[in-house]
Amino acid sequence: MIVAGIDYSMTSPAICCHVGETWNVANCTFHYMVQRDKHLVITDQLKGSLYKEWTLPEQRFQNLASWSIDILLNYKVQSASLEGYAYGAGSKGLVFQIGENTGALKQQMWQHNIPFTISPPTVIKKYATGKGNSNKETMWDSFIEETGFNLFNILGQEEKKKWNPVSDMVDSYYLAKYIFETENNG
């Protein structure tokens, strides 16, 4: 089974693709985007990309959606879980751009017949930690306890100081695991 978890944002998107019939972090590849090459790493399991330049919001949305679709098509993803909106997050006006950005991705997923579900952040947090209002640190603690895969060390980041792109990859991991288990047990 090939699934993807998508933590989609305008600044630090991450996609975890899992290939295999048994869930294991070793079967995951993490794709993420950064704006500077300081934390750009390319290994068998981590595939960092630099953020493309843009001049108009629509160009930005297209760049992000195309980056995501290329990954999903490359893996021949059978099902994806996209993190739902965190209502109350963001400033005035930004919420509309977030919606337009996500809409561009959803439109392309629909055009390419990639089935997806929307998973509310509270559901994924509860799934990962047992609490629907968990913070980044609690999500990280659950991830490191479960996987032992220290993304901070691999990216050369000081642990728990600057969260992106690590927290986005952790969220994408649990989104992928959630859809994997939902579809295998549902």
Side-chain angles (χ1 to χ4, degrees), residues 125-155:
K125 289 173 189 256
K126 184 170 184 172
Y127 171 75
T129 69
K131 290 181 70 179
N133 63 349
S134 295
N135 60 19
K136 294 176 189 306
E137 187 167 338
T138 307
M139 291 288 287
W140 169 251
D141 291 343
S142 291
F143 177 80
I144 199 71
E145 183 180 324
E146 177 181 326
T147 68
F149 193 55
N150 195 321
L151 295 166
F152 281 108
N153 287 348
I154 297 167
L155 293 176

Side-chain angles (χ1 to χ4, degrees), residues 72-157:
L72 300 176
L73 292 175
N74 182 52
Y75 282 88
K76 297 179 176 76
V77 167
Q78 298 164 305
S79 188
S81 179
L82 181 63
E83 186 174 46
Y85 299 120
Y87 294 103
S91 61
K92 261 186 177 175
L94 185 59
V95 70
F96 297 110
Q97 287 201 348
I98 292 168
E100 290 175 8
N101 181 49
T102 305
L105 174 61
K106 288 178 178 180
Q107 179 70 19
Q108 284 201 29
M109 291 174 76
W110 176 77
Q111 287 174 334
H112 290 283
N113 296 312
I114 300 171
F116 65 93
T117 59
I118 305 299
S119 301
T122 54
V123 169
I124 298 305
K125 289 173 189 256
K126 184 170 184 172
Y127 171 75
T129 69
K131 290 181 70 179
N133 63 349
S134 295
N135 60 19
K136 294 176 189 306
E137 187 167 338
T138 307
M139 291 288 287
W140 169 251
D141 291 343
S142 291
F143 177 80
I144 199 71
E145 183 180 324
E146 177 181 326
T147 68
F149 193 55
N150 195 321
L151 295 166
F152 281 108
N153 287 348
I154 297 167
L155 293 176
Q157 285 182 246

